[in-house]
Amino acid sequence: MVAPEDVDALAHLLAGRKVVVLSGAGCSTESGIPDYRGPGTRERARNPIQAREFVSRPEARARYWRRSAVGYPKIAAARPNAAHRALARLEAQGTVRGIITQNVDGLHQVAGSRVVIELHGALSLVRCLGCDQRSSRDALQSRLLADNPHVDFAATALAPDGDADVEIHVEFRVPSCEACGGVLKPDVVFFGEGVPRPRVDAAFALLESADALLVVGSSLAVFSGYRFVRHAHARGVPVAIVNLGETRGDPHASLRVDASAGAALAALAARLDLAARSSLETRST
């Protein structure tokens, strides 16, 4: 639940402003996609794969793709929740000018948001490390299953990075790039990798057009997102944070709402809708 006074405060801060949203994993947990640092996150038995490990060790790639083959269908089947729908509604209202997301699930676009910068890439795509060709993750899923008919792909607990907590007990064949035979990697930023510069520049350019930053569902523990809060604060742009639990950006926030993203954003969109209708009715009388 979200307190009515918190919704009032959010609406008061954001109404009439050009708002850019920074979204994190907490925006997608209500769609069944777990996060790394939320209050309900269980202790993980393993750490996420590192970029260097994936690139340098064939056995690490096999382990990742084995787990991904199990976990990916759950990510692909996920649907937008109330938070995604509310942000699309706020964009349609003219309040939200765009979203910088740390998520790789594509749910903002499915919900109808049009201006979305995917800071960490998209799980729906695969990139060849040899020729840089992009291809569909759905197509690779078909190849993974076809090339490994002896493997049990029964669903298990989904992990935050789009794979699943399973172990390899049999040999697992990893398909290579059909164009050049190179190594295939999900088109996402792994731990230990930097966000591509053009993507960072696009995000900062979007933020420069804003006069408010709304952080949704992110602990801001990772610098790739936290830097935008610091930048907004340095420019004197008010920062509102909606998150369950404390965040690294709290000292820079003009407003902090401890609530689930879905409840808070749905209430905010409804409140701003009501305010816009009241304003129109007042002008027409």
Side-chain angles (χ1 to χ4, degrees):
M1 295 294 292
V2 56
E5 56 268 28
D6 285 338
V7 179
D8 289 340
L10 272 174
H12 179 74
L13 179 65
L14 301 180
R17 294 183 184 271
K18 295 175 288 188
V19 179
V20 166
V21 174
L22 173 64
S23 72
C27 196
S28 291
T29 52
E30 293 172 59
S31 293
I33 300 174
D35 59 10
Y36 280 110
R37 300 177 180 88
T41 304
R42 65 180 175 82
E43 184 177 349
R44 291 171 60 77
R46 61 180 173 84
N47 292 320
I49 191 167
Q50 300 286 318
R52 181 179 299 178
E53 181 185 21
F54 183 92
V55 172
S56 64
R57 297 178 56 213
E59 64 273 24
R61 291 197 294 275
R63 185 168 62 249
Y64 173 84
W65 284 119
R66 165 72 174 92
R67 291 169 170 166
S68 177
V70 175
Y72 176 73
K74 292 186 177 181
I75 295 286
R79 292 296 174 261
N81 61 54
H84 301 109
R85 294 191 295 270
L87 288 174
R89 183 176 170 187
L90 288 166
E91 183 183 18
Q93 290 174 357
T95 298
V96 168
R97 301 306 174 96
I99 298 171
I100 303 166
T101 185
Q102 298 171 277
N103 299 335
V104 295
D105 50 46
L107 292 178
H108 286 301
Q109 295 93 320
V110 176
S113 292
R114 293 166 294 178
V115 181
V116 181
I117 297 173
E118 294 178 305
L119 204 60
H120 295 159
L123 273 177
S124 61
L125 295 175
V126 177
R127 180 170 68 90
C128 174
L129 298 183
C131 66
D132 204 41
Q133 177 175 284
R134 263 75 172 176
S135 56
S136 163
R137 178 64 181 81
D138 287 339
L140 180 62
Q141 182 72 6
S142 297
R143 294 178 65 196
L144 286 167
L145 270 58
D147 289 351
N148 296 280
H150 56 293
V151 175
D152 178 14
F153 289 100
T156 58
L158 186 63
D161 37 7
D163 59 356
D165 289 327
V166 296
E167 295 300 328
I168 302 176
H169 300 294
V170 294
E171 182 181 355
F172 189 78
R173 181 182 175 193
V174 179
S176 57
C177 174
E178 293 182 302
C180 75
V183 170
L184 295 175
K185 175 183 176 292
D187 196 18
V188 300
V189 176
F190 278 170
F191 281 78
E193 275 186 298
V195 178
R197 189 73 236 178
R199 219 174 283 169
V200 175
D201 291 344
F204 274 118
L206 179 60
L207 186 55
E208 287 294 324
S209 72
D211 49 26
L213 175 65
L214 173 60
V215 179
V216 178
S218 176
S219 66
L220 299 170
V222 179
F223 183 74
S224 65
Y226 175 57
R227 60 181 148 191
F228 299 112
V229 172
R230 290 180 56 185
H231 184 74
H233 179 71
R235 287 182 55 224
V237 171
V239 177
I241 298 178
V242 175
N243 190 63
L244 284 170
E246 297 179 352
T247 83
R248 186 181 180 185
D250 288 354
H252 303 308
S254 303
L255 177 64
R256 170 83 170 79
V257 175
D258 197 313
S260 69
L265 295 183
L268 173 65
R271 183 66 52 84
L272 292 180
D273 259 346
L274 180 61
R277 287 198 300 271
S278 298
S279 178
L280 284 173
E281 290 170 1
T282 299
R283 289 199 298 268
S284 63
T285 55

